[in-house]
Amino acid sequence: MSGHPDGPGLPLVIDTDTAADDCFALLVGLLDPRADLRAITMVAGNVGFDQQVENAFLTLELAGRAGQVPVHRGARQPLVQPWISAEEVHGDGAGGLRRTGDDRPDAEPAQDALVRLAEQHAGELTVVAIGPLTNLALAVRRDPAFASRVRELVVMGGSLNGRGNVTPAAEYNIHVDPEAAQIVLDAGFPSIRFVTWDPLSLQHAVFDAGRIERIRRLGTPLGDFFVRANQASFDFDVAMGVGGSVHCDTLAVLLALDPALAEVERRYDVAVELAGTHTRGATVFDWHAPRGGNATAIERIDGERLFEYVLRLLSR
Amino acid sequence: MSGHPDGPGLPLVIDTDTAADDCFALLVGLLDPRADLRAITMVAGNVGFDQQVENAFLTLELAGRAGQVPVHRGARQPLVQPWISAEEVHGDGAGGLRRTGDDRPDAEPAQDALVRLAEQHAGELTVVAIGPLTNLALAVRRDPAFASRVRELVVMGGSLNGRGNVTPAAEYNIHVDPEAAQIVLDAGFPSIRFVTWDPLSLQHAVFDAGRIERIRRLGTPLGDFFVRANQASFDFDVAMGVGGSVHCDTLAVLLALDPALAEVERRYDVAVELAGTHTRGATVFDWHAPRGGNATAIERIDGERLFEYVLRLLSR
Amino acid sequence: MSGHPDGPGLPLVIDTDTAADDCFALLVGLLDPRADLRAITMVAGNVGFDQQVENAFLTLELAGRAGQVPVHRGARQPLVQPWISAEEVHGDGAGGLRRTGDDRPDAEPAQDALVRLAEQHAGELTVVAIGPLTNLALAVRRDPAFASRVRELVVMGGSLNGRGNVTPAAEYNIHVDPEAAQIVLDAGFPSIRFVTWDPLSLQHAVFDAGRIERIRRLGTPLGDFFVRANQASFDFDVAMGVGGSVHCDTLAVLLALDPALAEVERRYDVAVELAGTHTRGATVFDWHAPRGGNATAIERIDGERLFEYVLRLLSR
Amino acid sequence: MSGHPDGPGLPLVIDTDTAADDCFALLVGLLDPRADLRAITMVAGNVGFDQQVENAFLTLELAGRAGQVPVHRGARQPLVQPWISAEEVHGDGAGGLRRTGDDRPDAEPAQDALVRLAEQHAGELTVVAIGPLTNLALAVRRDPAFASRVRELVVMGGSLNGRGNVTPAAEYNIHVDPEAAQIVLDAGFPSIRFVTWDPLSLQHAVFDAGRIERIRRLGTPLGDFFVRANQASFDFDVAMGVGGSVHCDTLAVLLALDPALAEVERRYDVAVELAGTHTRGATVFDWHAPRGGNATAIERIDGERLFEYVLRLLSR
Ligand SMILES: [Ca+2]
Ligand SMILES: [Ca+2]
Ligand SMILES: [Ca+2]
Ligand SMILES: [Ca+2]
């Protein structure tokens, strides 16, 4: 039950540091008939780069889409600074599961694939970035026309003048590559929509123990995968004082397919702090938007609808 | 004529950039019998320095305490950077009212008064800082023993990993003198308690039109003063999207007298961003507190209790 | 007519923001029989990007090498920040001269050409970077093996703990793209040698009015070109208090071909200031080299030998 | 031979972190009949604060001026950041020598003494600052009129767009308290003259082994003191590649008394880098001086004349 590569779905690329919630976000792109996922592009982030590639292929297998969507390898480290691991959060990001097939990544680098697909689907391509923005930044610098050809970029990253996670001030995806994030914000994308960590995801995208239990009771292979791959980050987030695991990556892909999920949104001038001693990687959303706004923050979603969607997705 | 200079009140200094809410905060220190206000120290902040001094004397008169509490002039500009006015928020900070008397400020500089009072009331003095922290920082550098002698310092300033007001990332009092704030945080005060702008004051210390109307209906001189001196900042805050005027300074003094008003508080390592391009003056509250904590954030108060207190105070 | 494309010359790429001294540096790469110039790669820098491309083709024509060396277009702006022009220094960088031919740039982007040539000439390729380091940084991020395959990178840029030119603290090439410079320094090139602005070039690579006159008297087409294309920067540098025009780019290419020109050199840990208010783009050469050194600074050359070489080159 | 407290000498304060060259600089202020040294003010710097006070009293004794010039204690730490010791350079700063008397420091804090003396000698007082600028900054903030009343401030500190000593980019006195230095530069002193580390002191104020030997051969108590107290910094500087010990503090005091020693000087806009990752504390001298200049750099002195002066001073 998929077969929409040639269907009327939204041409989509997911740029991902595949571990845990990234896997579930890929499932949305792979299984939702509204999506026509043209490529998965890999970026240095959560866990070791090669492990991330394995996790992407594993997810393709579990979705029954092995061999149908190319996986392109991109930046193995952030633009300027060294890689910052989040393995203490995610473990291997797949709950120890291993794929059975032996598909290989596409030879085309991620930045080239992004540039090519934006050209092929000019004005129609949606990119959902659920890892650090290194690949996007490299595509922007590779082709000055790239950004203008992307219909919409959905970014999971940053906080709306709120708290971070990896530091008090910075969310992981932006903290890992602040320069890349700034490049993307300056690039002239026609539309950037932000799914932030705080407050949006902390308020509306947390799956508590009760929700996880409901997923477990599905008894489906995808449900079992979810519970298993999610365990490490669930435990970590709970230890950090969050009431469950946070499904911001999944939310980002769903929002690309279902914009109406957003109940409130607002336009801002967004900048990334590149120079701070304590705040490097913080996202600063200026509500005055003196430069006219370069991005839109999703400020409220229907979190129950997100959970019900995931439940349905995993029940197949 | 309250007559508690020799009473059992809490020995108190209020360090203030007197305009609007600072005036009301002074009223708490001047009229609440639990307070023994030893000095008012003036610091560069909201409005022109000499206007602030006028506003302090006006408040003394309105409280019926003229001539009973010395007013000491302190820093006319922040420690390192130029002064940043908030006159667009406050106007003159007194609704155009003028005092009738001609008391003069005390000749002793604010930093000297702070050092002297901490020595005289060693282990017993409470300082409530409701302006930029310049005077406090100068007292810290003047006398290495100063901080250790202050029983408690209550600071109105910063945000708890939240939004700012004067910039998206920074609250006014800290933004005006970030270096002073960092000096105070590093000084070894036995207790620093923070009344932050966001979320505490925005959630619990906003007086909306209904509350202002209730104050107006008191028909007392103090109530009339409140409404009039408050008008400019009420209008400004409402235009900024806040639902009324924010009474964080008043809250800070009341918390010094009535610690039980705080329903939730937590210890943090707090640092001030001194180097950021977009975040200079942001306060960063590290919940891991790897250095053991240097300050406590008030995280929830009973806002209704604050308002009822103010109503009673102004009804006399 | 040198005819050494297949000869035993040093496989070489010159990465350039072609204007004035960059043209003369290209002449060295095009005419010196010790060089086997495989590509000219263009980077945003001195003057408008398309003008720079014109200047490169003009230089190829004047050297009699039109059609023999490919010109690859690279980054049209720095990695993170906007482009900073130096047109007030250089004018059009060619003294108003125009080429007669209509050769087109190679379709392969500069970063791809750099990666490909480093692979083809692994361990043998020399790259001389005489503009901002954007293309080099993009090649480093495109292929993690790129840096290790380059035999030597000669960089014209920065100052050895000395003065800048475009700001008091920063030299133009590094100031225009500080992040790119830091990426290059961190990339693991087996050898990076720096030709700095201060003190090296200011002490040993200045052509004063007397030297320019000697070039003019050559009466050759190349000599005439030199004098004409050099006029704007000569005038600018003299107005800035330098005793003539500075030929640091030419020096860099010559040093690649003739390492013995360097009389003193020393290994340093070099870092680029990315965060300073007044010093962004400054190069900091740590003589203690606590990390073992990542680059070598040329500290003295025989300036007379440089001039005599240029005189011979232009006399053909 | 002293007795000029009431003489026609230049009213002078030396602000010092007394160790080694600071001692010799004090000797100039104490023994040169052109100076009327009104106070020695102590600032946190080279070595432990109390040791510095001891070194100042020892120098008073050796100069035969014990009890004649008050020693005022000032800041025991820099304005914002923690103290940075230079004890690895100086040892105790006195070659192990101990004073015999038991004079006590004046009770008046250094900042108060500076403010008072500037008022008493308004328009006539010269201050020579040969340590971090903390005391000067505190005096500036204590009294907004202080700076305007000082005839001339001579600062030993920084580098003229050159190398540092304690870091590649920063000289010790400025690096220890960059915020204080910026405050002083912004304060509106009628005249600030800079004696920089590089190039001025490194080129013209180095005493090599031959010069030290000539001092040793004087056989005088002061000569013996010089050699002994100087040994540690001589050894350190030579190990760092400097050709001898650097007598920049001595030079600064002598320049205050003998302006003609300066052969070249130039006006600059000077700023201190407060935010850099690698350059914090660097002094940036802008030769364009777009704000009209706030300080003058001494660019060349007669180094032989400096040495001959010191030789005469120590021969008494
Ligand atoms: Ca992710
Ligand atoms: Ca206030
Ligand atoms: Ca160039
Ligand atoms: Ca000193």
Side-chain angles (χ1 to χ4, degrees):
Chain A
M1 156 47 320
S2 61
H4 43 75
D6 307 310
L10 188 73
L12 186 69
V13 176
I14 299 179
D15 189 71
T16 166
D17 55 338
T18 318
D21 193 40
D22 288 81
C23 298
F24 318 143
L26 285 182
L27 289 178
V28 178
L30 290 165
L31 297 175
D32 192 306
R34 293 168 293 185
D36 175 12
L37 186 62
R38 307 303 303 165
I40 298 167
T41 53
M42 309 296 309
V43 68
N46 288 320
V47 300
F49 194 85
D50 295 328
Q51 178 65 45
Q52 294 182 161
V53 175
E54 285 302 302
N55 295 348
F57 280 118
L58 171 67
T59 307
L60 278 162
E61 280 187 4
L62 290 165
R65 301 280 319 265
Q68 296 177 25
V69 180
V71 174
H72 300 264
R73 285 170 299 189
R76 284 177 170 269
Q77 79 160 88
L79 209 55
V80 179
Q81 70 187 17
W83 174 52
I84 300 168
S85 160
E87 283 160 325
E88 78 285 6
V89 181
H90 297 290
D92 68 357
L97 292 169
R98 294 290 168 262
R99 61 167 167 149
T100 56
D102 60 355
D103 284 352
R104 300 292 307 144
D106 198 286
E108 187 185 35
Q111 56 176 300
D112 300 40
L114 284 161
V115 165
R116 175 180 50 79
L117 287 164
E119 199 169 351
Q120 288 175 356
H121 302 274
E124 299 183 352
L125 186 69
T126 293
V127 179
V128 185
I130 56 177
L133 292 163
T134 323
N135 288 341
L136 271 294
L138 289 169
V140 164
R141 282 295 166 265
R142 182 166 187 77
D143 179 3
F146 167 69
S148 67
R149 289 180 179 137
V150 172
R151 190 186 70 86
E152 178 163 273
L153 172 64
V154 179
V155 172
M156 191 284 124
S159 284
L160 201 171
N161 302 328
R163 56 167 281 186
N165 48 24
V166 62
T167 74
E171 179 274 339
Y172 179 79
N173 284 351
I174 308 299
H175 186 250
V176 167
D177 200 341
E179 281 80 12
Q182 188 61 57
I183 289 169
V184 166
L185 284 162
D186 290 339
F189 284 93
S191 169
I192 301 180
R193 290 204 297 163
F194 263 90
V195 173
T196 60
W197 177 260
D198 179 32
L200 186 72
S201 300
L202 288 180
Q203 287 184 0
H204 304 296
V206 174
F207 288 9
D208 62 11
R211 285 177 166 178
I212 301 295
E213 178 58 19
R214 287 183 64 193
I215 292 171
R216 201 187 58 74
R217 287 188 191 153
L218 289 174
T220 60
L222 288 181
D224 292 351
F225 168 57
F226 183 100
V227 173
R228 191 158 165 185
N230 193 54
Q231 191 67 50
S233 38
F234 182 90
D235 293 346
F236 185 90
D237 286 343
V238 168
M240 286 298 106
V242 180
S245 51
V246 187
H247 295 280
C248 39
D249 291 353
T250 300
L251 170 57
V253 179
L254 183 56
L255 266 163
L257 302 181
D258 182 8
L261 185 64
E263 298 179 340
V264 178
E265 57 182 48
R266 182 171 173 180
R267 196 147 183 82
Y268 292 90
D269 280 352
V270 185
V272 178
E273 179 58 69
L274 303 179
T277 304
H278 304 286
T279 58
R280 185 167 153 81
T283 47
V284 179
F285 284 71
D286 189 340
W287 51 84
H288 294 300
R291 292 184 301 283
N294 57 2
T296 297
I298 311 297
E299 303 206 347
R300 197 175 68 215
I301 61 138
D302 184 338
E304 192 57 30
R305 191 164 145 192
L306 168 68
F307 174 66
E308 295 297 338
Y309 173 88
V310 171
L311 208 59
R312 276 197 310 280
L313 187 81
L314 300 176
S315 66
R316 55 199 296 152
Chain B
M1 161 64 289
S2 53
H4 42 74
D6 306 308
L10 188 74
L12 186 69
V13 177
I14 298 178
D15 188 72
T16 165
D17 55 337
T18 317
D21 193 39
D22 288 81
C23 299
F24 318 142
L26 285 183
L27 289 179
V28 178
L30 290 165
L31 296 175
D32 191 306
R34 294 169 293 187
D36 175 12
L37 187 62
R38 309 302 303 165
I40 297 167
T41 53
M42 308 296 307
V43 67
N46 287 320
V47 301
F49 193 86
D50 295 329
Q51 177 65 44
Q52 293 182 160
V53 174
E54 286 302 302
N55 295 347
F57 280 118
L58 171 67
T59 306
L60 278 162
E61 280 188 4
L62 290 166
R65 300 281 316 269
Q68 297 177 23
V69 179
V71 173
H72 300 265
R73 287 169 299 190
R76 284 177 170 269
Q77 78 160 88
L79 208 54
V80 179
Q81 71 187 15
W83 174 52
I84 299 168
S85 160
E87 284 159 327
E88 78 285 6
V89 181
H90 298 290
D92 69 358
L97 293 167
R98 295 289 168 263
R99 61 167 168 149
T100 56
D102 59 357
D103 284 352
R104 298 294 308 144
D106 197 287
E108 187 184 36
Q111 56 176 300
D112 300 40
L114 285 162
V115 164
R116 175 181 50 77
L117 287 164
E119 200 169 350
Q120 288 175 356
H121 302 275
E124 299 182 354
L125 185 69
T126 293
V127 179
V128 184
I130 56 177
L133 293 163
T134 323
N135 287 342
L136 271 293
L138 289 169
V140 164
R141 283 293 167 266
R142 183 166 185 77
D143 179 3
F146 168 68
S148 68
R149 288 180 180 139
V150 172
R151 190 185 70 85
E152 178 163 273
L153 172 64
V154 179
V155 172
M156 191 285 124
S159 282
L160 202 171
N161 303 327
R163 55 167 281 187
N165 47 25
V166 62
T167 75
E171 179 276 338
Y172 178 79
N173 284 351
I174 308 299
H175 186 250
V176 167
D177 201 340
E179 280 81 13
Q182 188 61 57
I183 289 169
V184 167
L185 284 163
D186 290 338
F189 284 93
S191 169
I192 302 179
R193 289 204 298 163
F194 264 90
V195 172
T196 60
W197 177 260
D198 178 33
L200 187 72
S201 300
L202 288 181
Q203 287 185 0
H204 304 296
V206 174
F207 287 9
D208 62 11
R211 285 177 166 177
I212 301 297
E213 178 59 19
R214 287 184 63 191
I215 293 171
R216 200 187 58 73
R217 287 188 191 152
L218 289 174
T220 59
L222 288 180
D224 292 349
F225 168 59
F226 183 101
V227 172
R228 190 158 166 187
N230 193 54
Q231 190 66 51
S233 37
F234 182 90
D235 292 345
F236 185 90
D237 286 343
V238 168
M240 286 297 107
V242 180
S245 51
V246 188
H247 295 279
C248 39
D249 292 353
T250 300
L251 170 57
V253 179
L254 183 56
L255 266 164
L257 303 180
D258 182 6
L261 185 66
E263 298 179 340
V264 178
E265 58 182 47
R266 182 171 173 179
R267 196 146 183 83
Y268 293 89
D269 280 353
V270 185
V272 179
E273 180 58 68
L274 303 178
T277 304
H278 305 285
T279 58
R280 186 166 151 81
T283 47
V284 179
F285 284 71
D286 189 340
W287 51 83
H288 294 301
R291 292 183 302 283
N294 58 2
T296 297
I298 311 297
E299 303 206 347
R300 197 176 67 216
I301 62 137
D302 184 337
E304 193 56 31
R305 192 164 144 190
L306 169 67
F307 174 66
E308 295 297 337
Y309 172 89
V310 171
L311 208 58
R312 277 196 310 278
L313 188 81
L314 301 175
S315 67
R316 56 198 294 152
Chain C
M1 178 44 309
S2 51
H4 43 74
D6 308 308
L10 189 74
L12 186 69
V13 176
I14 298 178
D15 188 72
T16 166
D17 55 338
T18 317
D21 193 40
D22 288 82
C23 298
F24 318 142
L26 284 182
L27 289 179
V28 177
L30 290 165
L31 297 176
D32 191 306
R34 293 169 294 186
D36 175 14
L37 187 62
R38 308 302 303 166
I40 297 168
T41 53
M42 309 296 308
V43 68
N46 288 321
V47 300
F49 194 85
D50 295 328
Q51 178 65 46
Q52 293 182 159
V53 174
E54 285 303 301
N55 294 347
F57 280 118
L58 171 66
T59 308
L60 277 161
E61 280 187 4
L62 290 165
R65 299 281 316 267
Q68 297 177 25
V69 179
V71 173
H72 300 265
R73 286 170 299 190
R76 283 176 171 270
Q77 79 160 88
L79 208 54
V80 179
Q81 71 186 16
W83 174 53
I84 301 167
S85 160
E87 283 160 326
E88 78 284 7
V89 181
H90 298 290
D92 68 357
L97 293 168
R98 295 290 169 263
R99 62 168 166 147
T100 56
D102 59 357
D103 285 351
R104 299 294 308 145
D106 197 288
E108 187 184 36
Q111 56 176 299
D112 300 41
L114 284 161
V115 165
R116 174 181 51 77
L117 287 165
E119 200 168 350
Q120 288 176 355
H121 302 275
E124 298 183 353
L125 186 70
T126 293
V127 179
V128 185
I130 57 178
L133 292 163
T134 322
N135 288 341
L136 271 293
L138 289 169
V140 164
R141 281 296 166 265
R142 183 166 185 76
D143 180 2
F146 168 68
S148 68
R149 289 180 180 139
V150 172
R151 190 185 69 86
E152 179 163 272
L153 172 64
V154 180
V155 172
M156 191 284 124
S159 282
L160 201 172
N161 302 327
R163 56 167 280 187
N165 47 25
V166 62
T167 75
E171 179 276 337
Y172 178 79
N173 284 350
I174 307 299
H175 186 250
V176 167
D177 200 340
E179 281 81 12
Q182 187 61 57
I183 289 170
V184 166
L185 284 162
D186 289 339
F189 285 93
S191 170
I192 302 179
R193 290 203 297 164
F194 264 89
V195 172
T196 60
W197 177 259
D198 179 33
L200 186 73
S201 300
L202 288 180
Q203 287 184 1
H204 304 296
V206 175
F207 288 9
D208 62 11
R211 283 177 167 179
I212 301 296
E213 177 59 18
R214 287 184 63 193
I215 292 172
R216 199 186 60 73
R217 286 189 192 153
L218 289 175
T220 60
L222 289 180
D224 292 350
F225 169 58
F226 183 102
V227 173
R228 190 158 166 187
N230 192 55
Q231 190 67 50
S233 39
F234 182 90
D235 292 346
F236 185 91
D237 286 342
V238 167
M240 287 297 107
V242 181
S245 51
V246 187
H247 295 279
C248 39
D249 291 353
T250 301
L251 170 57
V253 179
L254 183 56
L255 266 164
L257 302 181
D258 182 8
L261 185 66
E263 297 178 341
V264 178
E265 58 181 46
R266 183 170 173 180
R267 196 146 184 82
Y268 292 90
D269 280 353
V270 185
V272 179
E273 180 58 69
L274 303 179
T277 303
H278 305 285
T279 57
R280 187 168 150 80
T283 47
V284 179
F285 284 71
D286 189 340
W287 51 84
H288 294 301
R291 292 183 303 281
N294 58 1
T296 297
I298 312 296
E299 303 207 346
R300 198 175 67 215
I301 61 138
D302 183 337
E304 193 56 30
R305 191 164 143 192
L306 169 67
F307 174 66
E308 295 297 338
Y309 172 89
V310 170
L311 208 59
R312 274 196 312 279
L313 188 81
L314 300 176
S315 66
R316 56 197 295 153
Chain D
M1 151 62 305
S2 61
H4 43 75
D6 306 309
L10 188 74
L12 185 70
V13 176
I14 298 179
D15 188 72
T16 164
D17 55 339
T18 317
D21 193 40
D22 288 82
C23 297
F24 318 143
L26 285 183
L27 289 178
V28 178
L30 290 165
L31 296 175
D32 191 306
R34 293 168 293 187
D36 176 11
L37 186 62
R38 308 302 303 165
I40 297 168
T41 54
M42 309 296 308
V43 67
N46 287 321
V47 302
F49 193 86
D50 295 327
Q51 177 64 44
Q52 294 182 159
V53 175
E54 285 303 301
N55 294 347
F57 280 118
L58 170 67
T59 307
L60 278 161
E61 280 188 4
L62 290 165
R65 300 280 316 267
Q68 296 177 24
V69 179
V71 174
H72 300 264
R73 286 170 299 191
R76 285 177 170 269
Q77 78 160 89
L79 208 54
V80 180
Q81 71 186 16
W83 174 52
I84 300 168
S85 159
E87 284 160 324
E88 78 285 6
V89 180
H90 297 289
D92 69 357
L97 291 169
R98 295 289 168 265
R99 62 168 166 147
T100 56
D102 59 357
D103 285 351
R104 300 293 307 145
D106 197 286
E108 187 184 36
Q111 56 177 298
D112 300 39
L114 285 161
V115 164
R116 175 181 49 79
L117 287 164
E119 201 169 349
Q120 289 176 357
H121 303 274
E124 298 183 353
L125 186 69
T126 293
V127 179
V128 185
I130 56 178
L133 293 163
T134 322
N135 288 342
L136 272 293
L138 289 169
V140 164
R141 281 296 165 265
R142 183 166 185 77
D143 180 2
F146 168 68
S148 67
R149 289 179 179 138
V150 172
R151 191 186 69 86
E152 178 163 272
L153 172 64
V154 179
V155 172
M156 191 286 124
S159 282
L160 201 172
N161 303 327
R163 56 166 281 186
N165 47 25
V166 62
T167 74
E171 180 274 339
Y172 178 79
N173 283 351
I174 308 300
H175 186 250
V176 166
D177 201 340
E179 280 82 12
Q182 187 62 57
I183 288 170
V184 167
L185 284 162
D186 290 339
F189 284 94
S191 169
I192 301 180
R193 290 205 297 164
F194 264 91
V195 172
T196 59
W197 177 260
D198 178 33
L200 185 73
S201 301
L202 288 181
Q203 287 184 1
H204 304 297
V206 174
F207 288 8
D208 62 11
R211 284 176 166 178
I212 301 297
E213 178 58 19
R214 287 184 63 191
I215 293 171
R216 200 188 59 74
R217 286 189 192 152
L218 290 174
T220 61
L222 288 179
D224 292 350
F225 168 57
F226 184 100
V227 173
R228 191 157 164 185
N230 193 53
Q231 190 67 50
S233 38
F234 182 90
D235 293 345
F236 185 90
D237 286 343
V238 168
M240 287 297 106
V242 180
S245 51
V246 187
H247 295 279
C248 39
D249 290 354
T250 301
L251 169 57
V253 179
L254 183 56
L255 266 163
L257 303 181
D258 182 7
L261 185 65
E263 297 179 340
V264 178
E265 58 182 46
R266 182 171 174 179
R267 197 145 183 83
Y268 293 90
D269 280 353
V270 185
V272 178
E273 179 58 68
L274 303 179
T277 304
H278 304 285
T279 57
R280 187 168 151 79
T283 47
V284 178
F285 284 71
D286 189 341
W287 52 83
H288 294 300
R291 292 183 302 282
N294 58 2
T296 297
I298 311 297
E299 304 207 346
R300 197 175 67 214
I301 62 138
D302 184 338
E304 192 56 31
R305 191 163 145 191
L306 169 68
F307 174 66
E308 295 296 339
Y309 173 88
V310 171
L311 207 59
R312 277 196 309 279
L313 188 80
L314 300 176
S315 66
R316 55 199 298 152

